[in-house]
Every structure is written in C-alpha cells, then in structure tokens.
Amino acid sequence: MAALRIRNQDAREFVVSLLTASGVSAPNAAIIAQGLVEADLRGVDSHGINRIPSYLARIHAGVLDPKAEPSLTQVTPVVAQVNAHNGFGFPAAHLAMSTACSIASTYGIGLVSVKHSNHFGMSAWLVRQALTANMMSLVFTNSSPALPAWGSRSQLLGVSPIACGAPGGKDSRPFILDMAPSVAARGKIHKALRRGEKIPRGWALDAQGRETEDPAEALRGVMLPMGGPKGAALAVMMDVFSGVMSGSAFAGGVVGPYDLKGPGDVGHFMVAMKPDLFVSLEEFRERMDVLYKKVVESDKAEGVERIYFPGEIEQLTEEERLKDGIPFVQEEVDALNAEAEKLGVPKLRVMA
C-alpha cells in the first residue's frame, strides 16, 4: 500500500485546529503540534500526530483538562517546579525546559521538576529546545506501568524515556539521545496494533508471561526491558527522579495516555547546562567535532555500510520528510479525519 504524504505545515495546522476546537488555547495548541509533528518528521511515528485521538478521548472523558495552564514556582535560584494542573504535558514541559535554560544562562545549570502532568510526546523535542538555546540537557519522565521489575511478569514500571543532548561543533551534528529502557517503545506496539501488524519476538510478554508477536496480547502483558535487569533498573531511576521527587504518581500509579480511568499525574525532570562550564565554548565545539569524526569514521563491522552519531538518523529522516512529506497509511488518516468530522474542522490535507 502506497503511503499518503502530509506536509509538515499542514500537519501542524490540522493539530492546532483539533485542539483549539477542543478547548486548548492557541499558544498551547501550537506547542503540542510542534512536539507531535517533530516526532513524525524525525521518523518517531509512534509519538506523532496519531496520538491525537487518544488525547482527545481523554479530554472528552473529563480526565485531562484542555484549558489548564502550567504554573511555575521558584524553589532556589537554580531549582524550580512546574505544576501542570492536569493539563497537556507539552506546555508544562516546554515551560520547564525554557525555565531551566534561562536559569542555566545565569548560573550554569538549571533544574526544573514538573508535577501533575500528562504525556509530553517524544522527549527529543525538549532536547532540541535546549539545543536551540545552545544548552546541554537531560530530560526524564515517568509513565504508566508497562515494564516488570526484573524477574516479575506484573506491570509496575513505565517505559520511561531517557533523553539528553549537547550542541555539535562546526563540522558535526548535535548529540541527541532519546531511548526507552525497554527493547522497544510501547508506542510502537500501539502503532503495530493500529496497522494490523505483528511485533518482533523479544519485545513483550503476554499476560501469562510468554513471548508474543500479537500487539494486543503484548498490551495486556508487559514490555521487556533492554539489557534485562539493567533496563528495569533504569525504569526505576525514572520513577525516582520524575515521580517520587516531584510529588507526582509513581510505582505503577501513573495513568497512561490511552487510559480513560483518571488523570495521568505524570512527573518530569529537566536539566539544562551551559556547555562551556569547564572549557571554552570554542574548545567544546572543537572537541565535539573530534568525537563526531571518531564515531562515524570508526572501522565498520561486517555488513555495516555507515556508522551514525546518536540522533543522526532521525535528523536525516527529518531533512527527507521536510522535503517529501510525512508518510501515513490510509487507516491513520481516516482515524484523524474522523476526529475532524466530530469537531467540525477541516480534514487533513494529503499531498497530491
């Protein structure tokens, strides 16, 4: 089946129209659209605009407040906290990162916690926000239970992404890491279910603790942590920094973006740092050029055509999709347009 292509700007405008028709303010809708469309552009389709129907379902169920505005409390000169007030995670996380960058510009480092939030999409868009301010960053969040404690088959820990970034040099791309502590992100399971596809063995267990290729059975069971106990331990770390410390839900208490039983109560944790704290900015960029070159020019293993710097594949995908459009299957476009019909807004435009 040939992919349907959607222009970047058309996708943004479509998301904004759906959200504003659902009670979200125009500035917050623009931030949400930015985060979702950046994911689609980078090839992280599991965290793109296909998330919109689940978000709107939570609004309609009364478990996510579309009108909520995040508020900021300064804790110390270098530490602040954002309360999302059960609104969208995107505006709360955006405020947190912008605050962390502002603090870091004065003090060298800024730390901001977020409480009572919801899903904020792909973590890399917040790393990119920090890169725009020429900052290094760490982005943590916790999420709804999907992973077991090591040795268990019970859903307890979130598939909570770990993200960080650093500016590149004159001849290198920025470093962007955004990874889940599971073998695969849970959003990829939902994507496979949506498209009627199987998942690879080794991604998940069913409710009886058996490996499965069925995405529906996987969602009733548990995701598998990468590296066995190491991945499970990283998921615990995300709960400590994002949930326990912030005052948000933790230990299996977070409600996921596909669940209508209550507020998400997600916690996030953002750190921004100046890259020239210990060496000059010029030297930092020169050293990043050396690191980039050493990585991508390493001797290749058998069968490997090219070695990529972390985040580089996604950046190349973005360059291609900005030119050629974002690919969707017909079922995905139909689901999005069904939401447009409900809200009386124009349907998503497909490239000719």
Side-chain angles (χ1 to χ4, degrees):
M1 182 185 298
L4 303 175
R5 296 274 173 171
I6 309 295
R7 291 185 183 87
N8 157 49
Q9 191 56 39
D10 289 339
R12 289 174 186 266
E13 291 173 1
F14 178 74
V15 171
V16 168
S17 68
L18 288 176
L19 292 171
T20 53
S22 300
V24 181
S25 70
N28 285 349
I31 291 170
I32 297 165
Q34 175 190 344
L36 292 173
V37 175
E38 276 195 33
D40 279 323
L41 287 171
R42 288 172 62 81
V44 189
D45 304 315
S46 57
H47 287 62
I49 69 171
N50 280 307
R51 290 273 183 162
I52 282 290
S54 65
Y55 294 158
L56 296 182
R58 286 180 53 76
I59 290 174
H60 300 150
V63 295
L64 189 159
D65 184 357
K67 299 181 183 298
E69 292 289 341
S71 59
L72 180 70
T73 301
Q74 199 74 32
V75 179
T76 76
V78 297
V79 179
Q81 184 169 58
V82 171
N83 188 335
H85 301 291
N86 192 36
F88 275 93
F90 296 81
H94 185 272
L95 174 60
M97 183 54 82
S98 64
T99 301
C101 290
S102 177
I103 293 171
S105 68
T106 300
Y107 296 101
I109 187 168
L111 296 83
V112 183
S113 170
V114 182
K115 65 180 179 180
H116 308 323
S117 187
N118 283 281
H119 191 251
F120 66 25
M122 172 190 72
S123 296
W125 79 275
L126 294 159
V127 171
R128 283 161 57 104
Q129 181 185 344
L131 288 172
T132 300
N134 292 314
M135 292 288 175
M136 302 174 69
S137 62
L138 295 168
V139 178
F140 295 170
T141 185
N142 65 356
S143 56
S144 56
L147 281 175
W150 183 243
S152 170
R153 60 181 176 88
S154 300
Q155 292 184 353
L156 176 66
L157 306 168
V159 180
S160 306
I162 303 163
C164 60
K170 183 177 68 172
D171 300 315
S172 59
R173 296 180 183 271
F175 167 75
I176 301 176
L177 172 69
D178 181 1
M179 68 178 194
S182 57
V183 175
R186 202 179 196 196
K188 291 185 178 180
I189 307 290
H190 285 282
K191 177 183 172 182
L193 180 65
R194 190 171 62 241
R195 295 187 172 187
E197 299 169 350
K198 290 184 177 181
I199 60 171
R201 295 189 72 82
W203 277 20
L205 305 178
D206 65 17
Q208 285 71 47
R210 301 170 302 201
E211 283 196 5
T212 181
E213 296 178 322
D214 185 335
E217 291 297 324
L219 291 171
R220 286 189 280 270
V222 292
M223 302 292 296
L224 287 172
M226 66 174 183
K230 297 179 181 180
L234 288 173
V236 173
M237 183 182 81
M238 293 296 99
D239 235 5
V240 172
F241 279 84
S242 303
V244 174
M245 186 167 67
S246 70
S248 292
F250 65 101
V254 172
V255 176
Y258 294 97
D259 197 330
L260 306 181
K261 69 182 180 184
D265 202 18
V266 183
H268 318 307
F269 183 65
M270 315 276 166
V271 180
M273 296 170 285
K274 292 180 69 175
D276 57 350
L277 290 175
F278 309 109
V279 298
S280 70
L281 185 58
E282 181 181 5
E283 183 179 353
F284 177 89
R285 293 192 182 280
E286 289 173 352
R287 292 166 72 87
M288 287 299 292
D289 280 338
V290 171
L291 177 61
Y292 176 83
K293 185 175 181 180
K294 289 282 189 179
V295 170
V296 302
E297 294 183 0
S298 297
D299 294 335
K300 300 177 184 66
E302 184 177 352
V304 173
E305 294 184 3
R306 178 174 176 178
I307 296 171
Y308 296 91
F309 203 59
E312 188 171 17
I313 291 175
E314 291 83 358
Q315 292 167 65
L316 292 169
T317 299
E318 180 174 17
E319 291 169 7
E320 175 191 322
R321 291 185 174 189
L322 282 170
K323 180 180 65 175
D324 299 334
I326 302 165
F328 292 86
V329 299
Q330 186 67 57
E331 291 80 3
E332 292 168 334
V333 173
D334 290 345
L336 291 165
N337 283 336
E339 299 295 338
E341 287 185 6
K342 292 177 195 173
L343 294 167
V345 302
K347 290 185 177 180
L348 184 60
R349 285 181 292 204
V350 177
M351 293 173 66

